[in-house]
Amino acid sequence: MSSEYQLTFSANSLAETGTYKLLEVPADLSTWIEAQLQDPETASSSQLCIKGSTTEDAVLCTANQTYTLRAVSLSNSLLVVSAGSREDNHADASSSAVDDLPPRVVIHDQLSDILELTQTIPKLHKLDSVLKGSTYSGEEDEDESDREDEPVGLSYDQALQNVQASQGELDAILKRRRVLKLQGRLRPVAPAHLHTILELILTQLASLSLGGRTHDIPFDKLAGALDLEHQVPKTVSWQVMEWFGELTPGVEGNRWNMSVPGMVKQIGLGVLSPHKDKPIEQNTFLKAWKEAVGDTFEAAAALPLLSGNYLTSKDTNTKYASDRKTYLTYFPLDSLAMEPAARFQELFLTRTRWKADEITPFLDDIAVNSRERDKLLLKFTRSTTDAEGAWYTGRAMYMG
Amino acid sequence: MIIPITFPTSDEKRLAPKLPGNLIKVSDSEYVLVELQGTIHCSDDKAREGQVVGTLALDDAVTKPTLIIGHHLLEGKLVKLPKPLALMRKEEGPSLPSSQHDGDYDDVDEEGTGEEADDGKELSRRKKSAGNVEWKIYALVKRKIVFSKRPGPI
């Protein structure tokens, strides 16, 4: 026994044309969508959205992931069909035999393409350009320029509107780029100023006889001292301490649990950053770094912490290999281009050939995962193997 | 620019017409996708609204869908989609009649106070995005009815 349905165009078929779209969703997203559909009350409205200005390729953002959208044409057409609404069934109510006819199903739209989703890294190049010129380098500078009428910088909501990244990814990148939220505006903190604040935190800890403590540090006491003696506002201390640890409310006010590797890393970057053009000898650098972090934390100062921020080079003038000193050059990942092609070009301009473990730290932020990263390596580099292992060189290089 | 993607509220879900008969076995939502080779054209495309296209039939085991258009018979099959498709519909910002419509709903489900509060929230959310376009996901489609063969005479 089969059931029959009368297939008709919907009563407002012309107006409905083009109002439907099909989105091919990956497995993880489809489970989430299914849950939202089944339980509409828990559906959070702002979690899923399409972002992009009229001149950009649109992306789809979930709470913490970004996908590119691409329309794929189909050779067949897909009819979007549903049961007829009352309106559709009454469209020809004049005919008396409505009841005898099979139930109606209506065509709302005919589609000849679907939208394909591919997970991508957030598109952040726009963030850099909009944040330029709103650097925060301490209260003294703030007073000098009379900026009170007109707050400098971009608000968080504006950034969320303009940057093609999900909220989770935006929050993470604002933390990584060390961007403060001051009076509702996004202000990247100047690296030199951040370095000063961190050093002040360590010296204050020592002078408050809290030196060596990494957990359960009273926030109010520390931030109060920083404010009073060094003009670091509490709101700045709060955000900085959140970047380098965790603030938890306790019985006697907020407590700060410091992340030692995070602090030590940032101080290391501060020590290394002047050596962009002038390499520093590795042991000299390590000594300076350990001095800057103080006795308590010097054990944590180790080069792997700074991965993706420096390049090493060997001194080739000495006679014996064992005498050769290693030099470090500051080479921050954040200063490199986000487009893979441009990134590889920059990398191969800096160096003509790279070892695998040397190049990977500089690719992690442009690839979603290690598989994507290897794909990029395959596409943009040529690999050769010699006695020292595998080397990557640029594709367009004359090999003789 | 942000275009929000939302989901139907439980009221909208309840009021949506359900698929009749065996079609409900094809889909777990209110929509079915039917794939055709080529497109359906009307001689006068402007007059197609409400016009009958043909007769779709589906057996109880949902294995042999057929579509009769005029004197042509199409035999199809049910195909599982490799990746599920989310079906979205464009919704324009609320116009005046639709907000009156909301008022009507309030009258209908006045027994639940909690629901009323929800409606208020929903209304204010809608007002905020007034005039804006949003896309609403109505269904996650996992199967489609495909008519890929050439039509045969009846």
Side-chain angles (χ1 to χ4, degrees), chain A residues 236-264:
Chain A
V236 174
S237 315
W238 178 272
Q239 293 178 61
V240 170
M241 287 188 211
E242 263 193 330
W243 294 338
F244 298 102
E246 215 181 326
L247 282 159
T248 44
V251 195
E252 303 155 55
N254 294 302
R255 316 299 274 187
W256 181 44
N257 292 334
M258 190 205 297
S259 149
V260 177
M263 285 282 277
V264 171

PDB file of all heavy atoms in Angstrom, chain A residues 236-264:
ATOM      1  N   VAL A 236      44.594  47.439  35.098  1.00  0.00           N
ATOM      2  CA  VAL A 236      45.667  46.893  34.269  1.00  0.00           C
ATOM      3  C   VAL A 236      46.284  45.679  34.954  1.00  0.00           C
ATOM      4  O   VAL A 236      46.455  44.621  34.333  1.00  0.00           O
ATOM      5  CB  VAL A 236      46.730  47.979  33.974  1.00  0.00           C
ATOM      6  CG1 VAL A 236      47.917  47.385  33.231  1.00  0.00           C
ATOM      7  CG2 VAL A 236      46.121  49.119  33.171  1.00  0.00           C
ATOM      8  N   SER A 237      46.578  45.820  36.266  1.00  0.00           N
ATOM      9  CA  SER A 237      47.169  44.688  36.994  1.00  0.00           C
ATOM     10  C   SER A 237      46.275  43.462  36.888  1.00  0.00           C
ATOM     11  O   SER A 237      46.736  42.349  36.681  1.00  0.00           O
ATOM     12  CB  SER A 237      47.332  44.995  38.475  1.00  0.00           C
ATOM     13  OG  SER A 237      47.855  46.257  38.667  1.00  0.00           O
ATOM     14  N   TRP A 238      44.966  43.697  37.048  1.00  0.00           N
ATOM     15  CA  TRP A 238      44.004  42.586  37.009  1.00  0.00           C
ATOM     16  C   TRP A 238      44.117  41.815  35.701  1.00  0.00           C
ATOM     17  O   TRP A 238      44.254  40.594  35.685  1.00  0.00           O
ATOM     18  CB  TRP A 238      42.590  43.133  37.200  1.00  0.00           C
ATOM     19  CG  TRP A 238      41.541  42.076  37.137  1.00  0.00           C
ATOM     20  CD1 TRP A 238      40.913  41.621  36.010  1.00  0.00           C
ATOM     21  CD2 TRP A 238      40.994  41.326  38.225  1.00  0.00           C
ATOM     22  NE1 TRP A 238      40.021  40.635  36.328  1.00  0.00           N
ATOM     23  CE2 TRP A 238      40.041  40.424  37.685  1.00  0.00           C
ATOM     24  CE3 TRP A 238      41.222  41.323  39.603  1.00  0.00           C
ATOM     25  CZ2 TRP A 238      39.313  39.543  38.480  1.00  0.00           C
ATOM     26  CZ3 TRP A 238      40.491  40.437  40.384  1.00  0.00           C
ATOM     27  CH2 TRP A 238      39.558  39.564  39.824  1.00  0.00           C
ATOM     28  N   GLN A 239      44.088  42.568  34.589  1.00  0.00           N
ATOM     29  CA  GLN A 239      44.117  41.884  33.288  1.00  0.00           C
ATOM     30  C   GLN A 239      45.452  41.207  33.036  1.00  0.00           C
ATOM     31  O   GLN A 239      45.521  40.104  32.498  1.00  0.00           O
ATOM     32  CB  GLN A 239      43.783  42.874  32.169  1.00  0.00           C
ATOM     33  CG  GLN A 239      42.339  43.334  32.265  1.00  0.00           C
ATOM     34  CD  GLN A 239      41.970  44.353  31.199  1.00  0.00           C
ATOM     35  OE1 GLN A 239      42.044  44.070  30.010  1.00  0.00           O
ATOM     36  NE2 GLN A 239      41.599  45.535  31.617  1.00  0.00           N
ATOM     37  N   VAL A 240      46.550  41.886  33.448  1.00  0.00           N
ATOM     38  CA  VAL A 240      47.868  41.290  33.250  1.00  0.00           C
ATOM     39  C   VAL A 240      47.973  39.998  34.061  1.00  0.00           C
ATOM     40  O   VAL A 240      48.453  38.978  33.578  1.00  0.00           O
ATOM     41  CB  VAL A 240      48.974  42.293  33.638  1.00  0.00           C
ATOM     42  CG1 VAL A 240      50.334  41.598  33.680  1.00  0.00           C
ATOM     43  CG2 VAL A 240      49.007  43.447  32.654  1.00  0.00           C
ATOM     44  N   MET A 241      47.466  40.037  35.302  1.00  0.00           N
ATOM     45  CA  MET A 241      47.561  38.836  36.135  1.00  0.00           C
ATOM     46  C   MET A 241      46.674  37.718  35.600  1.00  0.00           C
ATOM     47  O   MET A 241      46.985  36.546  35.765  1.00  0.00           O
ATOM     48  CB  MET A 241      47.198  39.163  37.578  1.00  0.00           C
ATOM     49  CG  MET A 241      48.296  39.963  38.250  1.00  0.00           C
ATOM     50  SD  MET A 241      47.985  40.140  40.001  1.00  0.00           S
ATOM     51  CE  MET A 241      48.738  41.706  40.322  1.00  0.00           C
ATOM     52  N   GLU A 242      45.598  38.097  34.946  1.00  0.00           N
ATOM     53  CA  GLU A 242      44.768  37.053  34.325  1.00  0.00           C
ATOM     54  C   GLU A 242      45.498  36.382  33.173  1.00  0.00           C
ATOM     55  O   GLU A 242      45.313  35.204  32.914  1.00  0.00           O
ATOM     56  CB  GLU A 242      43.450  37.655  33.836  1.00  0.00           C
ATOM     57  CG  GLU A 242      42.325  37.448  34.824  1.00  0.00           C
ATOM     58  CD  GLU A 242      40.974  37.760  34.232  1.00  0.00           C
ATOM     59  OE1 GLU A 242      40.891  38.627  33.337  1.00  0.00           O
ATOM     60  OE2 GLU A 242      39.997  37.135  34.666  1.00  0.00           O
ATOM     61  N   TRP A 243      46.307  37.165  32.441  1.00  0.00           N
ATOM     62  CA  TRP A 243      47.073  36.561  31.340  1.00  0.00           C
ATOM     63  C   TRP A 243      48.114  35.591  31.860  1.00  0.00           C
ATOM     64  O   TRP A 243      48.426  34.597  31.230  1.00  0.00           O
ATOM     65  CB  TRP A 243      47.801  37.654  30.537  1.00  0.00           C
ATOM     66  CG  TRP A 243      46.915  38.592  29.798  1.00  0.00           C
ATOM     67  CD1 TRP A 243      45.630  38.379  29.409  1.00  0.00           C
ATOM     68  CD2 TRP A 243      47.252  39.910  29.348  1.00  0.00           C
ATOM     69  NE1 TRP A 243      45.157  39.478  28.751  1.00  0.00           N
ATOM     70  CE2 TRP A 243      46.130  40.434  28.695  1.00  0.00           C
ATOM     71  CE3 TRP A 243      48.399  40.696  29.443  1.00  0.00           C
ATOM     72  CZ2 TRP A 243      46.101  41.694  28.119  1.00  0.00           C
ATOM     73  CZ3 TRP A 243      48.364  41.953  28.869  1.00  0.00           C
ATOM     74  CH2 TRP A 243      47.237  42.455  28.215  1.00  0.00           C
ATOM     75  N   PHE A 244      48.697  35.938  33.004  1.00  0.00           N
ATOM     76  CA  PHE A 244      49.800  35.133  33.511  1.00  0.00           C
ATOM     77  C   PHE A 244      49.407  34.382  34.765  1.00  0.00           C
ATOM     78  O   PHE A 244      50.138  34.386  35.757  1.00  0.00           O
ATOM     79  CB  PHE A 244      51.024  36.023  33.760  1.00  0.00           C
ATOM     80  CG  PHE A 244      51.509  36.675  32.502  1.00  0.00           C
ATOM     81  CD1 PHE A 244      51.212  37.997  32.240  1.00  0.00           C
ATOM     82  CD2 PHE A 244      52.207  35.949  31.559  1.00  0.00           C
ATOM     83  CE1 PHE A 244      51.629  38.595  31.062  1.00  0.00           C
ATOM     84  CE2 PHE A 244      52.628  36.538  30.378  1.00  0.00           C
ATOM     85  CZ  PHE A 244      52.342  37.861  30.126  1.00  0.00           C
ATOM     86  N   GLY A 245      48.271  33.780  34.737  1.00  0.00           N
ATOM     87  CA  GLY A 245      47.852  33.003  35.878  1.00  0.00           C
ATOM     88  C   GLY A 245      46.349  32.992  35.975  1.00  0.00           C
ATOM     89  O   GLY A 245      45.651  33.152  34.985  1.00  0.00           O
ATOM     90  N   GLU A 246      45.868  32.816  37.168  1.00  0.00           N
ATOM     91  CA  GLU A 246      44.447  32.646  37.374  1.00  0.00           C
ATOM     92  C   GLU A 246      44.042  33.437  38.601  1.00  0.00           C
ATOM     93  O   GLU A 246      44.715  33.385  39.626  1.00  0.00           O
ATOM     94  CB  GLU A 246      44.192  31.158  37.632  1.00  0.00           C
ATOM     95  CG  GLU A 246      42.897  30.660  37.068  1.00  0.00           C
ATOM     96  CD  GLU A 246      42.733  29.188  37.401  1.00  0.00           C
ATOM     97  OE1 GLU A 246      43.736  28.462  37.448  1.00  0.00           O
ATOM     98  OE2 GLU A 246      41.595  28.790  37.629  1.00  0.00           O
ATOM     99  N   LEU A 247      42.965  34.208  38.484  1.00  0.00           N
ATOM    100  CA  LEU A 247      42.477  34.944  39.644  1.00  0.00           C
ATOM    101  C   LEU A 247      41.218  34.265  40.153  1.00  0.00           C
ATOM    102  O   LEU A 247      40.288  34.004  39.397  1.00  0.00           O
ATOM    103  CB  LEU A 247      42.174  36.389  39.233  1.00  0.00           C
ATOM    104  CG  LEU A 247      43.388  37.302  39.104  1.00  0.00           C
ATOM    105  CD1 LEU A 247      43.067  38.496  38.245  1.00  0.00           C
ATOM    106  CD2 LEU A 247      43.870  37.760  40.468  1.00  0.00           C
ATOM    107  N   THR A 248      41.231  33.947  41.438  1.00  0.00           N
ATOM    108  CA  THR A 248      40.046  33.299  42.001  1.00  0.00           C
ATOM    109  C   THR A 248      39.582  34.068  43.222  1.00  0.00           C
ATOM    110  O   THR A 248      40.410  34.535  44.012  1.00  0.00           O
ATOM    111  CB  THR A 248      40.344  31.847  42.419  1.00  0.00           C
ATOM    112  OG1 THR A 248      41.602  31.839  43.102  1.00  0.00           O
ATOM    113  CG2 THR A 248      40.395  30.917  41.234  1.00  0.00           C
ATOM    114  N   PRO A 249      38.283  34.239  43.384  1.00  0.00           N
ATOM    115  CA  PRO A 249      37.798  34.927  44.573  1.00  0.00           C
ATOM    116  C   PRO A 249      37.997  34.043  45.805  1.00  0.00           C
ATOM    117  O   PRO A 249      37.701  32.848  45.773  1.00  0.00           O
ATOM    118  CB  PRO A 249      36.314  35.156  44.282  1.00  0.00           C
ATOM    119  CG  PRO A 249      35.960  34.236  43.174  1.00  0.00           C
ATOM    120  CD  PRO A 249      37.209  33.810  42.488  1.00  0.00           C
ATOM    121  N   GLY A 250      38.562  34.602  46.849  1.00  0.00           N
ATOM    122  CA  GLY A 250      38.794  33.854  48.088  1.00  0.00           C
ATOM    123  C   GLY A 250      38.067  34.535  49.236  1.00  0.00           C
ATOM    124  O   GLY A 250      37.377  35.532  49.031  1.00  0.00           O
ATOM    125  N   VAL A 251      38.239  34.000  50.424  1.00  0.00           N
ATOM    126  CA  VAL A 251      37.573  34.564  51.606  1.00  0.00           C
ATOM    127  C   VAL A 251      38.077  35.985  51.865  1.00  0.00           C
ATOM    128  O   VAL A 251      37.318  36.910  52.109  1.00  0.00           O
ATOM    129  CB  VAL A 251      37.812  33.686  52.852  1.00  0.00           C
ATOM    130  CG1 VAL A 251      36.839  34.081  53.954  1.00  0.00           C
ATOM    131  CG2 VAL A 251      37.667  32.203  52.497  1.00  0.00           C
ATOM    132  N   GLU A 252      39.406  36.165  51.767  1.00  0.00           N
ATOM    133  CA  GLU A 252      39.966  37.491  52.032  1.00  0.00           C
ATOM    134  C   GLU A 252      40.284  38.197  50.714  1.00  0.00           C
ATOM    135  O   GLU A 252      41.403  38.555  50.448  1.00  0.00           O
ATOM    136  CB  GLU A 252      41.243  37.359  52.857  1.00  0.00           C
ATOM    137  CG  GLU A 252      41.042  36.617  54.160  1.00  0.00           C
ATOM    138  CD  GLU A 252      42.338  35.988  54.628  1.00  0.00           C
ATOM    139  OE1 GLU A 252      43.328  36.711  54.754  1.00  0.00           O
ATOM    140  OE2 GLU A 252      42.358  34.766  54.827  1.00  0.00           O
ATOM    141  N   GLY A 253      39.312  38.320  49.858  1.00  0.00           N
ATOM    142  CA  GLY A 253      39.536  39.002  48.580  1.00  0.00           C
ATOM    143  C   GLY A 253      40.068  38.050  47.523  1.00  0.00           C
ATOM    144  O   GLY A 253      40.208  36.850  47.758  1.00  0.00           O
ATOM    145  N   ASN A 254      40.366  38.615  46.352  1.00  0.00           N
ATOM    146  CA  ASN A 254      40.798  37.777  45.239  1.00  0.00           C
ATOM    147  C   ASN A 254      42.225  37.289  45.419  1.00  0.00           C
ATOM    148  O   ASN A 254      43.083  38.010  45.929  1.00  0.00           O
ATOM    149  CB  ASN A 254      40.687  38.575  43.945  1.00  0.00           C
ATOM    150  CG  ASN A 254      39.244  38.902  43.631  1.00  0.00           C
ATOM    151  OD1 ASN A 254      38.413  38.026  43.509  1.00  0.00           O
ATOM    152  ND2 ASN A 254      38.938  40.197  43.549  1.00  0.00           N
ATOM    153  N   ARG A 255      42.431  36.057  45.002  1.00  0.00           N
ATOM    154  CA  ARG A 255      43.762  35.460  45.089  1.00  0.00           C
ATOM    155  C   ARG A 255      44.281  35.206  43.696  1.00  0.00           C
ATOM    156  O   ARG A 255      43.524  34.876  42.782  1.00  0.00           O
ATOM    157  CB  ARG A 255      43.720  34.130  45.852  1.00  0.00           C
ATOM    158  CG  ARG A 255      42.885  34.137  47.111  1.00  0.00           C
ATOM    159  CD  ARG A 255      43.380  35.102  48.109  1.00  0.00           C
ATOM    160  NE  ARG A 255      44.423  34.573  48.966  1.00  0.00           N
ATOM    161  CZ  ARG A 255      44.896  35.257  50.034  1.00  0.00           C
ATOM    162  NH1 ARG A 255      44.418  36.454  50.306  1.00  0.00           N
ATOM    163  NH2 ARG A 255      45.824  34.736  50.781  1.00  0.00           N
ATOM    164  N   TRP A 256      45.594  35.323  43.545  1.00  0.00           N
ATOM    165  CA  TRP A 256      46.210  35.113  42.232  1.00  0.00           C
ATOM    166  C   TRP A 256      47.117  33.901  42.274  1.00  0.00           C
ATOM    167  O   TRP A 256      47.995  33.811  43.136  1.00  0.00           O
ATOM    168  CB  TRP A 256      47.000  36.357  41.824  1.00  0.00           C
ATOM    169  CG  TRP A 256      47.650  36.245  40.480  1.00  0.00           C
ATOM    170  CD1 TRP A 256      47.097  35.753  39.338  1.00  0.00           C
ATOM    171  CD2 TRP A 256      48.981  36.639  40.132  1.00  0.00           C
ATOM    172  NE1 TRP A 256      47.990  35.831  38.302  1.00  0.00           N
ATOM    173  CE2 TRP A 256      49.163  36.365  38.755  1.00  0.00           C
ATOM    174  CE3 TRP A 256      50.038  37.202  40.848  1.00  0.00           C
ATOM    175  CZ2 TRP A 256      50.361  36.638  38.078  1.00  0.00           C
ATOM    176  CZ3 TRP A 256      51.229  37.478  40.169  1.00  0.00           C
ATOM    177  CH2 TRP A 256      51.394  37.198  38.799  1.00  0.00           C
ATOM    178  N   ASN A 257      46.871  32.968  41.362  1.00  0.00           N
ATOM    179  CA  ASN A 257      47.778  31.840  41.192  1.00  0.00           C
ATOM    180  C   ASN A 257      48.607  32.108  39.948  1.00  0.00           C
ATOM    181  O   ASN A 257      48.086  32.126  38.845  1.00  0.00           O
ATOM    182  CB  ASN A 257      46.998  30.534  41.034  1.00  0.00           C
ATOM    183  CG  ASN A 257      46.287  30.150  42.317  1.00  0.00           C
ATOM    184  OD1 ASN A 257      46.713  30.530  43.406  1.00  0.00           O
ATOM    185  ND2 ASN A 257      45.196  29.426  42.183  1.00  0.00           N
ATOM    186  N   MET A 258      49.872  32.330  40.139  1.00  0.00           N
ATOM    187  CA  MET A 258      50.724  32.722  39.028  1.00  0.00           C
ATOM    188  C   MET A 258      51.066  31.528  38.153  1.00  0.00           C
ATOM    189  O   MET A 258      51.288  30.424  38.645  1.00  0.00           O
ATOM    190  CB  MET A 258      52.014  33.325  39.600  1.00  0.00           C
ATOM    191  CG  MET A 258      52.889  33.990  38.570  1.00  0.00           C
ATOM    192  SD  MET A 258      54.609  34.016  39.105  1.00  0.00           S
ATOM    193  CE  MET A 258      54.526  35.017  40.559  1.00  0.00           C
ATOM    194  N   SER A 259      51.096  31.770  36.826  1.00  0.00           N
ATOM    195  CA  SER A 259      51.585  30.742  35.919  1.00  0.00           C
ATOM    196  C   SER A 259      53.057  31.043  35.685  1.00  0.00           C
ATOM    197  O   SER A 259      53.399  31.984  34.971  1.00  0.00           O
ATOM    198  CB  SER A 259      50.798  30.775  34.611  1.00  0.00           C
ATOM    199  OG  SER A 259      51.616  30.378  33.553  1.00  0.00           O
ATOM    200  N   VAL A 260      53.902  30.258  36.327  1.00  0.00           N
ATOM    201  CA  VAL A 260      55.338  30.553  36.264  1.00  0.00           C
ATOM    202  C   VAL A 260      55.875  30.491  34.832  1.00  0.00           C
ATOM    203  O   VAL A 260      56.540  31.423  34.383  1.00  0.00           O
ATOM    204  CB  VAL A 260      56.131  29.626  37.216  1.00  0.00           C
ATOM    205  CG1 VAL A 260      57.622  29.876  37.091  1.00  0.00           C
ATOM    206  CG2 VAL A 260      55.674  29.861  38.646  1.00  0.00           C
ATOM    207  N   PRO A 261      55.566  29.417  34.057  1.00  0.00           N
ATOM    208  CA  PRO A 261      56.101  29.391  32.693  1.00  0.00           C
ATOM    209  C   PRO A 261      55.667  30.609  31.882  1.00  0.00           C
ATOM    210  O   PRO A 261      56.454  31.167  31.127  1.00  0.00           O
ATOM    211  CB  PRO A 261      55.518  28.105  32.099  1.00  0.00           C
ATOM    212  CG  PRO A 261      55.092  27.283  33.247  1.00  0.00           C
ATOM    213  CD  PRO A 261      54.776  28.225  34.352  1.00  0.00           C
ATOM    214  N   GLY A 262      54.413  31.035  32.046  1.00  0.00           N
ATOM    215  CA  GLY A 262      53.903  32.184  31.290  1.00  0.00           C
ATOM    216  C   GLY A 262      54.677  33.444  31.618  1.00  0.00           C
ATOM    217  O   GLY A 262      55.110  34.172  30.724  1.00  0.00           O
ATOM    218  N   MET A 263      54.867  33.707  32.923  1.00  0.00           N
ATOM    219  CA  MET A 263      55.604  34.889  33.365  1.00  0.00           C
ATOM    220  C   MET A 263      57.029  34.853  32.837  1.00  0.00           C
ATOM    221  O   MET A 263      57.533  35.819  32.279  1.00  0.00           O
ATOM    222  CB  MET A 263      55.673  34.913  34.901  1.00  0.00           C
ATOM    223  CG  MET A 263      54.424  35.303  35.615  1.00  0.00           C
ATOM    224  SD  MET A 263      54.175  37.069  35.583  1.00  0.00           S
ATOM    225  CE  MET A 263      55.198  37.606  36.938  1.00  0.00           C
ATOM    226  N   VAL A 264      57.677  33.704  33.046  1.00  0.00           N
ATOM    227  CA  VAL A 264      59.085  33.575  32.681  1.00  0.00           C
ATOM    228  C   VAL A 264      59.261  33.731  31.176  1.00  0.00           C
ATOM    229  O   VAL A 264      60.182  34.382  30.701  1.00  0.00           O
ATOM    230  CB  VAL A 264      59.628  32.221  33.190  1.00  0.00           C
ATOM    231  CG1 VAL A 264      61.018  31.959  32.649  1.00  0.00           C
ATOM    232  CG2 VAL A 264      59.639  32.197  34.707  1.00  0.00           C
TER     233      VAL A 264
END
